[in-house]
Amino acid sequence: MQKQEVILDIKDLTVEYGRGRKKFKAIDGVSFSIYRGEIFGLVGESGSGKTTIGKAILRIVKTSGGSIVFKGKKINGKIDRKLDRELKRKIQMVFQDPMASLNERAKIDYIVSEGLYNIRNFIDENHRRKKVEKILLDVGLLPEHANYFPHEFSGGMRQRIGIARALIMEPEFLILDEPTSALDLSTRFQIINLLKELKEKRNLTYLFITHDLSLLRSLAHRVAVMYKGKIVELAHTEKLFKNPIHPYTKSLIFAIPIPDPMEERNKLQYMYDPLSYAYENKPPKLIEVEEGHFVLK
Ligand code: ADP
Ligand code: MG
């Protein structure tokens, strides 16, 4: 088997927020790597630190320990301008609610071009406009949508604009932060399919962040489960669903509704109680329990 290329390697990452007595570790010693071409799922409840990891990779929050290595180069902490410029193009993030980040008074043409303007990644106006029209088509919109305003679009179409905005930079690595959480079910399905298709066509790698483990089942190659700033379990998706070991992972799997209402009503309840789980190590360590399957113990 061909050795897989690690595109992103995170080791012992720590991110702290607040100062003085309010200081706390939002990310507490997280390690994982992502292979090129992979969809890596990061799941956990709200507040567990998922977005913070995305922002640390994007360099919009400071890290206080550990390393983030992208294509062999350390990218957290001080870096030179050349690398900074390269990263601004190669790593992009798509947020849950594109409206929150889209300027309501700007036309789609400007919104989609913003990253291009920032790094001047076009020859002239004509070239830029061509890029915008092409990317709108690629995400299932129309070239003339460039002249519209954000409020003229539905939720699904707005998320397509969010994706276009990221892809126009021709990135290699995309952080998708709850990209479908604000959408209804059928729109969610369309956006997931679009993302799968774009990944294949453009040789992308995804870090897919969600609080919804069921979404990752048919999407992610591997999944890391986060709880309060730590990864408690990491495995290939099938293994995680078949053989969850950490009680928090089990609670997430039990919480997924079973389609059959009778079975759903009769299924066992399982709530995670952090106090009921005694770790073997002090401090707890991620231990490989079977090939590629890590559990915090
Ligand atoms: P998630 O994306 O999993 O919901 P976040 O990464 O947004 O989690 O947040 C992790 C923790 O850090 C939460 O307790 C959150 O309240 C806190 N937090 C996030 N951003 C900030 C910030 N800018 N300043 C202080 N605390 C923050
Ligand atoms: Mg978040």
Side-chain angles (χ1 to χ4, degrees):
M1 204 178 99
Q2 209 188 334
K3 201 164 175 283
Q4 287 175 292
E5 179 198 346
V6 170
I7 188 165
L8 185 85
D9 187 39
I10 295 186
K11 268 208 181 74
D12 297 325
L13 185 70
T14 303
V15 176
E16 291 171 333
Y17 286 125
R19 34 177 83 200
R21 257 196 276 161
K22 283 190 183 150
K23 194 152 135 176
F24 79 104
K25 286 183 181 166
I27 302 300
D28 188 3
V30 160
S31 303
F32 62 88
S33 8
I34 300 182
Y35 298 111
R36 185 182 285 282
E38 187 174 37
I39 301 182
F40 188 91
L42 187 60
V43 68
E45 65 196 20
S46 168
S48 56
K50 307 180 297 296
T51 297
T52 300
I53 289 186
K55 288 181 172 172
I57 298 168
L58 215 62
R59 302 175 48 77
I60 51 183
V61 300
K62 260 198 186 162
T63 59
S64 53
S67 62
I68 304 176
V69 172
F70 179 70
K71 296 176 72 180
K73 287 182 192 153
K74 182 168 182 281
I75 62 165
N76 59 325
K78 265 216 167 109
I79 60 168
D80 63 39
R81 277 170 75 180
K82 187 166 160 274
L83 180 59
D84 183 58
R85 195 184 141 89
E86 183 188 329
L87 295 170
K88 282 204 170 101
R89 193 173 75 66
K90 290 191 174 158
I91 303 178
Q92 296 293 320
M93 189 152 168
V94 174
F95 296 92
Q96 170 180 345
D97 181 9
M99 285 337 280
S101 51
L102 298 184
N103 178 353
E104 278 291 341
R105 277 176 301 177
K107 282 187 180 168
I108 302 309
D109 180 55
Y110 177 78
I111 288 168
V112 170
S113 303
E114 206 163 50
L116 289 184
Y117 283 123
N118 285 340
I119 66 162
R120 295 242 134 246
N121 200 14
F122 54 94
I123 301 161
D124 55 22
E125 261 304 291
N126 196 24
H127 182 226
R128 185 193 60 76
R129 185 69 186 202
K130 283 246 163 66
K131 280 193 176 199
V132 171
E133 291 179 354
K134 162 97 176 42
I135 206 74
L136 289 176
L137 280 170
D138 287 351
V139 299
L141 296 169
L142 297 168
E144 47 267 39
H145 284 140
N147 300 317
Y148 287 39
F149 291 96
H151 65 83
E152 297 178 272
F153 292 96
S154 67
M157 286 168 100
R158 285 179 205 172
Q159 195 48 286
R160 285 175 199 267
I161 295 164
I163 295 166
R165 215 171 115 83
L167 290 186
I168 201 166
M169 304 298 281
E170 298 171 40
E172 294 180 27
F173 187 84
L174 219 54
I175 303 162
L176 300 155
D177 191 359
E178 310 258 12
T180 63
S181 300
L183 305 174
D184 63 67
L185 253 142
S186 70
T187 313
R188 183 173 303 176
F189 187 69
Q190 289 168 17
I191 296 293
I192 294 282
N193 280 339
L194 173 70
L195 287 169
K196 281 184 180 170
E197 182 193 312
L198 290 166
K199 180 192 145 328
E200 292 308 319
K201 276 193 191 151
R202 295 171 168 258
N203 296 317
L204 295 164
T205 304
Y206 290 167
L207 170 59
F208 195 105
I209 295 173
T210 178
H211 65 276
D212 181 4
L213 180 57
S214 68
L215 192 64
L216 296 176
R217 186 165 205 162
S218 59
L219 183 66
H221 298 99
R222 290 185 300 146
V223 172
V225 179
M226 279 196 78
Y227 182 76
K228 292 198 171 155
K230 288 191 165 78
I231 289 180
V232 297
E233 191 156 0
L234 190 166
H236 284 277
T237 311
E238 324 84 75
K239 271 194 185 156
L240 191 89
F241 277 88
K242 242 188 246 158
N243 184 25
I245 293 173
H246 194 282
Y248 181 63
T249 313
K250 288 184 184 171
S251 77
L252 291 183
I253 291 176
F254 271 90
I256 297 172
I258 302 171
D260 176 18
M262 270 305 274
E263 269 187 61
E264 171 64 21
R265 210 175 312 145
N266 294 330
K267 86 174 177 189
L268 289 167
Q269 296 294 313
Y270 188 95
M271 291 281 281
Y272 176 52
D273 173 8
L275 296 176
S276 73
Y277 188 60
Y279 287 104
E280 290 165 17
N281 301 291
K282 243 183 180 184
K285 286 188 219 147
L286 263 189
I287 307 280
E288 191 166 17
V289 292
E290 56 180 326
E291 204 212 322
H293 188 166
F294 298 83
V295 183
L296 194 68
K297 277 180 173 263

